[in-house]
Amino acid sequence: MPESRDNRPLGLTRRQVLGIGGAFGLLTTASLATAAALARRPATTGAQLRSTAALPPPYQVPLPLPAVARPVSTAGGTDHYDIVQRETIAEILPGLTTRLWTYGGTFPGPTIEARRGRPVTVTHHNELPVPTVVHLHGGRTPADSDGYPTDLVLPAAWPDTPHTMPGMAGMSGTDGHGTGGHMTDPRAVTSRLKRDYTFPNDQRPTLLWYHDHRMDYTAPAIWRGLAGLHIVRDDTEDSLGLPAGPREIPLMITDRAFTADGALSYPSLDPTLRTTPGVTEPHLAGVLGDVILVNGAPWPVHETDATRHRLRLLNASNARHYELEALTEDGRRLDLVQIGADQGLLATPVTHRTLPTAPAERHDLVIDFATAPIGSLVHLVNRLGTGRTRDVMAFRITRPATDDSRIPPVLATDLPDWHRQDAVRTRDFAFRAGRMNGGHGWLIGGRPFDPARTDVTVPLGDTEIWRLIADVHHPVHLHLVGFRILTRGGRPPLPHDAGLKDTVSLRPGESAEIITRFDGYRGRYLFHCHNAEHEDMGMMANLEVV
Ligand code: C2O
Ligand code: CU
Ligand code: CU
């Protein structure tokens, strides 16, 4: 495999390199090259909120499994769903109630079960107090249903403001957080009260997720509960013999913080999420909670038999990274056998002892509980956490059982095989902190998001290499396409970089090369950092497929 031996990060000037990190880091070209600097990489990017609510002991609350949505119609070869976005009150912490923004009244929202090639249309109704827009993350979706951040569904009590919205990137003022400016997007297609989103599901089977994507307000909207799962399946995958039925478990991992009365806490400058985007200064690098929720429950426990289980893992946290390991009570580490990545099955399984996962990444894992003592717990632990954020959830092994599942040595033969020489061009993007209209921002190539500016134009069908470089942690996500990771830090990719990805986790000071073919649909798409706070504070750009 061709490998870059050039230590100079991606042709940036020395001055640009020294600027990387801004107030957040002390990384320089020289220090980047040393192992000592790499070892000093902070484990997280972001600042943790402290809950004032009484927190439950771990492994008391049963793991909820999100309900599967029922279609209102299956006529004409399309499954049609209706989802009402509305406020609800839920009991997340035992004995306390929490107001949430939800898809269909639950967090996570209802899971959409889709078959490859069979379209799904979801009519989303907005009964929330603010505009919303739905994006299917990882979906190969025509642009008009991809949830562009200004394609808003306005609620009943919202003024008609076509093509203009308060925008962080357009703001004036000395701290960058004033309410002065407006951002204009002449291409925005807004609607009122509801909108149909059509997803062809014409893609490799995988775990996708849908979430809010409103410009400037994605992070607090997801934090309040606007996230759900969407699974694409096909006959080929069904026939592999992987653990299925109750032995296939979706796990949406998030972190949150709670005030004493049970409310979610979040450091919004404007808690109404109407006029002023952004978070308070200590949280500019990202918002971390001190309570780990899996499928919306704090440090839950799930009862299973002593067999193989397929865990469909999604890190839906705004900013928190995890490095997961599964520990038995007698101190053994169970293998995490990865069978799939963001965009579906790997070619062959990859066995991990510990598995890093960044915001928006999905990992399809098989874990075998056969050797865990009956009656004991297997803990899923985050090695990057401290104190209570080390715990994620546990499995209680209830009984032995026969297991006819298998992990085939070859999982898939349809992975795209793009080679460096297939690329018709190479682009460089630096993801780093910077100044944005007098305040702090997160920039791509030195610029904050502007919906009216096309940053990248790609002819449909072209293959490209993108070289990405980061100052702090930036999980970089492309809409529309899956990609493969060619190199990381100038070296071959890591074991967890295998397969087809739509989000690549860049660590502090790190670069990566990705390769993809821009096919599927023409239109306006995005790429951005999936640290949701970074995304809201400018770290997003337009990708126009023509
Ligand atoms: Cu999950 Cu544009 O993102
Ligand atoms: Cu996406
Ligand atoms: Cu970022």
Side-chain angles (χ1 to χ4, degrees):
M1 175 186 296
E3 192 184 320
S4 165
R5 308 215 178 272
D6 185 356
N7 259 339
R8 199 166 47 98
L10 308 180
L12 297 175
T13 65
R14 179 177 156 76
R15 208 187 124 141
Q16 280 170 315
V17 171
L18 290 172
I20 285 174
F24 289 85
L26 302 165
L27 301 168
T28 66
T29 316
S31 71
L32 274 177
T34 71
L38 298 180
R40 284 198 304 272
R41 281 174 179 157
T44 49
T45 291
Q48 186 167 302
L49 296 163
R50 186 185 293 267
S51 291
T52 49
L55 301 179
Y59 321 136
Q60 304 291 306
V61 181
L63 175 77
L65 296 172
V68 173
R70 289 159 58 117
V72 291
S73 149
T74 57
T78 296
D79 295 333
H80 198 121
Y81 296 87
D82 242 24
I83 293 180
V84 179
Q85 304 171 3
R86 58 180 177 85
E87 276 193 2
T88 199
I89 306 281
E91 183 177 343
I92 293 179
L93 301 177
L96 292 173
T97 55
T98 305
R99 183 180 300 274
L100 298 172
W101 286 2
T102 66
Y103 294 116
T106 61
F107 170 63
T111 299
I112 300 218
E113 283 277 355
R115 302 297 297 184
R116 180 176 195 165
R118 184 179 168 90
V120 160
T121 297
V122 186
T123 304
H124 275 276
H125 303 262
N126 182 3
E127 295 184 1
L128 291 166
V130 299
T132 61
V133 52
V134 179
H135 168 61
L136 179 63
H137 180 120
R140 290 173 72 74
T141 307
D144 60 357
S145 282
D146 197 50
Y148 192 80
T150 53
D151 287 350
L152 299 174
V153 182
L154 308 176
W158 194 269
D160 255 317
T161 51
H163 317 226
T164 23
M165 57 188 307
M168 187 140 220
M171 284 182 172
S172 53
T174 51
D175 61 359
H177 299 129
T179 53
H182 281 81
M183 183 142 275
T184 302
D185 180 13
R187 293 168 73 183
V189 179
T190 59
S191 55
R192 194 167 283 279
L193 293 177
K194 63 179 180 147
R195 179 172 181 139
D196 286 353
Y197 295 87
T198 294
F199 307 113
N201 298 305
D202 192 6
Q203 60 185 96
R204 305 183 79 232
T206 191
L207 172 66
L208 310 175
W209 61 303
Y210 60 100
H211 60 75
D212 197 62
H213 215 304
R214 174 163 64 124
M215 185 165 148
D216 299 334
Y217 296 99
T218 293
I222 293 176
W223 188 271
R224 288 178 191 209
L226 291 178
L229 304 176
H230 179 124
I231 303 178
V232 181
R233 302 182 190 276
D234 73 358
D235 296 346
T236 310
E237 185 180 301
D238 289 351
S239 69
L240 290 179
L242 296 165
R247 295 178 185 165
E248 178 190 350
I249 306 169
L251 300 176
M252 179 195 279
I253 303 180
T254 58
D255 57 339
R256 297 290 186 268
F258 297 85
T259 61
D261 61 355
L264 287 170
S265 57
Y266 187 85
S268 286
L269 293 176
D270 167 19
T272 71
L273 308 187
R274 295 173 76 93
T275 54
T276 309
V279 293
T280 57
E281 212 247 81
H283 296 279
L284 292 174
V287 178
L288 307 173
D290 60 355
V291 177
I292 307 299
L293 305 180
V294 184
N295 296 344
W299 300 291
V301 61
H302 187 66
E303 296 198 341
T304 57
D305 52 32
T307 58
R308 277 187 211 98
H309 281 69
R310 181 178 183 186
L311 308 180
R312 316 229 31 196
L313 204 82
L314 159 66
N315 180 358
S317 309
N318 282 22
R320 184 177 289 280
H321 291 242
Y322 302 78
E323 185 179 346
L324 298 171
E325 63 182 348
L327 298 175
T328 62
E329 281 182 77
D330 50 3
R332 283 175 301 120
R333 193 144 67 173
L334 299 185
D335 283 347
L336 301 171
V337 180
Q338 188 185 354
I339 57 168
D342 304 331
Q343 288 286 317
L345 291 170
L346 307 182
T348 56
V350 176
T351 299
H352 303 281
R353 305 286 285 160
T354 72
L355 176 73
T357 180
E361 281 191 302
R362 284 91 69 216
H363 290 96
D364 201 345
L365 304 175
V366 175
I367 184 168
D368 191 349
F369 295 121
T371 64
I374 302 302
S376 73
L377 293 179
V378 173
H379 299 232
L380 197 61
V381 165
N382 172 21
R383 291 165 58 88
L384 304 178
T386 52
R388 298 220 51 191
T389 62
R390 269 188 80 81
D391 299 330
V392 176
M393 66 170 292
F395 297 90
R396 183 178 302 284
I397 312 306
T398 55
R399 59 189 178 84
T402 54
D403 189 350
D404 53 8
S405 73
R406 54 191 285 265
I407 306 176
V410 174
L411 295 159
T413 53
D414 66 333
L415 279 148
D417 189 21
W418 297 306
H419 296 279
R420 190 175 284 276
Q421 57 272 20
D422 300 334
V424 297
R425 65 189 70 80
T426 298
R427 303 180 197 263
D428 290 344
F429 299 100
F431 289 75
R432 55 189 171 122
R435 305 293 289 175
M436 186 166 93
N437 295 304
H440 175 276
W442 293 100
L443 314 178
I444 301 176
R447 299 198 286 194
F449 180 61
D450 178 350
R453 181 188 71 228
T454 300
D455 298 280
V456 171
T457 304
V458 185
L460 185 72
D462 275 9
T463 300
E464 298 194 351
I465 292 173
W466 286 17
R467 300 191 293 185
L468 316 170
I469 186 165
D471 55 357
V472 293
H473 288 91
H474 296 296
V476 175
H477 168 51
L478 272 63
H479 285 212
L480 181 66
V481 291
F483 53 79
R484 306 206 64 172
I485 300 173
L486 283 177
T487 62
R488 182 188 276 278
R491 284 189 282 273
L494 296 172
H496 66 270
D497 292 330
L500 197 60
K501 299 280 294 165
D502 58 49
T503 306
V504 53
S505 172
L506 300 176
R507 297 172 297 182
E510 195 172 53
S511 63
E513 289 179 298
I514 61 172
I515 185 167
T516 189
R517 182 165 185 264
F518 291 88
D519 59 4
Y521 305 96
R522 294 184 175 84
R524 184 162 67 151
Y525 293 93
L526 295 165
F527 62 103
H528 58 88
C529 179
H530 222 292
N531 173 313
E533 283 77 29
H534 296 189
E535 173 184 344
D536 281 349
M537 288 181 274
M539 197 164 260
M540 184 153 68
N542 287 299
L543 161 67
E544 188 88 30
V545 181
V546 297

